[in-house]
Amino acid sequence: MSVPNDVLHAGFGKQSWLQQLKPTDWIWAAVLIAAAVVGYTRYGSAMNAFQVGILIGVTGGAIALSTYWKATRWLIAVVAAVSLLAIDLYGTDLAR
């Protein structure tokens, strides 16, 4: 059983995953990483190791998901803005 030559070489012309990324993908990933770093520096004292792991995992997952599904970027931005608004409403008084 043999495979035709054109079938064997069909995948060689394709770009790798890293080559398919556009500059906006890299900028979005940098924004998410910067947001995670800012979140950790501001609220890291209130986090335990499990929550830090969640922050790292969600950041990586959000980068991966928004790389393949571009519409997720708007969802992530809106959820982040609403979350920051909710944190700002509580201020330092978490008893409210």
Side-chain angles (χ1 to χ4, degrees), residues 5 8 19 30 36 38 48 52:
N5 199 20
L8 284 175
Q19 291 173 338
V38 168
N48 59 22
V52 171

Side-chain angles (χ1 to χ4, degrees), residues 43 85-96:
Y43 306 109
L85 177 65
I87 291 171
D88 189 51
L89 288 175
Y90 277 101
T92 58
D93 183 22
L94 297 179
R96 293 194 294 173

Side-chain angles (χ1 to χ4, degrees), residues 25-43:
D25 296 326
W26 291 103
I27 293 169
W28 178 252
V31 166
L32 288 181
I33 291 170
V37 168
V38 168
Y40 179 74
T41 56
R42 290 193 66 181
Y43 306 109

Side-chain angles (χ1 to χ4, degrees), residues 49-72:
F50 181 70
Q51 292 166 332
V52 171
I54 290 173
L55 177 66
I56 294 169
V58 166
T59 302
I63 290 171
L65 182 63
S66 63
T67 299
Y68 291 110
W69 189 19
K70 306 291 188 208
T72 319

Side-chain angles (χ1 to χ4, degrees), residues 14-22:
K14 294 182 181 177
Q15 292 180 331
S16 71
W17 176 73
L18 286 175
Q19 291 173 338
Q20 291 176 4
L21 296 177
K22 297 177 182 174

